[in-house]
Amino acid sequence: MIEMTEIEKISQKESAETKPPLQSSPKDDLSVFNENQWKVQDTAQDSSFVPTVGVFIWIGGMFSLLLSFFYFIFFASMLQRAILLTMYSLSLILPKNFPGERFSYFLGNFMMTQAEKYFGLKTTIEDPKSLQLIGDEGKGVIFAMEPHDLLFYS
């Protein structure tokens, strides 16, 4: 990492001191903006075994379903086809929360926590109090992520 010279530090300090304070006008919709409300959480990248397993369960689960389907069509014996067909049918018949909400939330939180470690995400939340209030009301929130993803938070 490149260190700043003393001149750059002094010039940044002077520019910070000479900036006019934020003033809100009654017409301005951004009058609620307060820079101190921002919460930044930076996660270091970790590609060890546990985060890799979490990401594989998240992303690889869809691939394994596709792979099992092609195995079912081309290579499976009659007994294996019967077992796979039973598993596919059960997945359609059983209710959405079959293993239970507790297990589903545990698995979802595990996958997202490990993905955060694996990819080394930096999260910036403008107003965490408002986010908590919206979450308490039971409404869903969508986070926009750079460069091209959305992460749902509810």
Side-chain angles (χ1 to χ4, degrees):
M1 186 173 190
I2 301 172
E3 293 207 25
M4 295 178 14
T5 63
E6 288 295 317
I7 297 171
E8 290 173 337
K9 289 180 183 178
I10 292 170
S11 66
Q12 277 190 349
K13 195 179 214 183
E14 288 174 355
S15 66
E17 292 173 356
T18 58
K19 285 184 182 176
L22 290 175
Q23 295 182 1
S24 61
S25 66
K27 299 177 196 174
D28 192 8
D29 291 335
L30 299 175
S31 62
V32 183
F33 176 76
N34 183 358
E35 193 169 344
N36 296 332
Q37 291 178 339
W38 286 39
K39 179 182 176 187
V40 178
Q41 181 178 349
D42 202 353
T43 307
Q45 188 172 8
D46 178 16
S47 299
S48 61
F49 181 71
V50 175
T52 304
V53 168
V55 170
F56 177 75
I57 292 171
W58 176 37
I59 297 173
M62 293 301 129
F63 177 72
S64 62
L65 182 65
L66 182 69
L67 191 64
S68 70
F69 182 72
F70 281 118
Y71 179 79
F72 171 78
I73 292 175
F74 295 113
F75 302 111
S77 67
M78 289 304 284
L79 177 65
Q80 292 171 340
R81 285 183 182 174
I83 292 171
L84 284 172
L85 189 59
T86 303
M87 287 175 32
Y88 291 152
S89 300
L90 280 177
S91 71
L92 293 173
I93 295 170
L94 292 173
K96 288 182 185 179
N97 58 355
F98 166 66
E101 283 188 26
R102 187 174 180 189
F103 175 74
S104 301
Y105 281 118
F106 171 76
L107 184 63
N109 286 336
F110 173 76
M111 290 186 302
M112 292 300 106
T113 303
Q114 300 310 319
E116 180 183 15
K117 291 178 188 175
Y118 186 82
F119 293 112
L121 297 178
K122 177 181 179 182
T123 308
T124 305
I125 301 176
E126 266 187 49
D127 192 1
K129 290 179 185 176
S130 295
L131 183 65
Q132 184 65 38
L133 290 173
I134 291 171
D136 290 344
E137 293 174 359
K139 295 180 181 177
V141 179
I142 298 176
F143 285 115
M145 298 175 61
E146 288 291 328
H148 54 56
D149 275 340
L150 291 177
L151 179 65
F152 298 97
Y153 179 84
S154 57

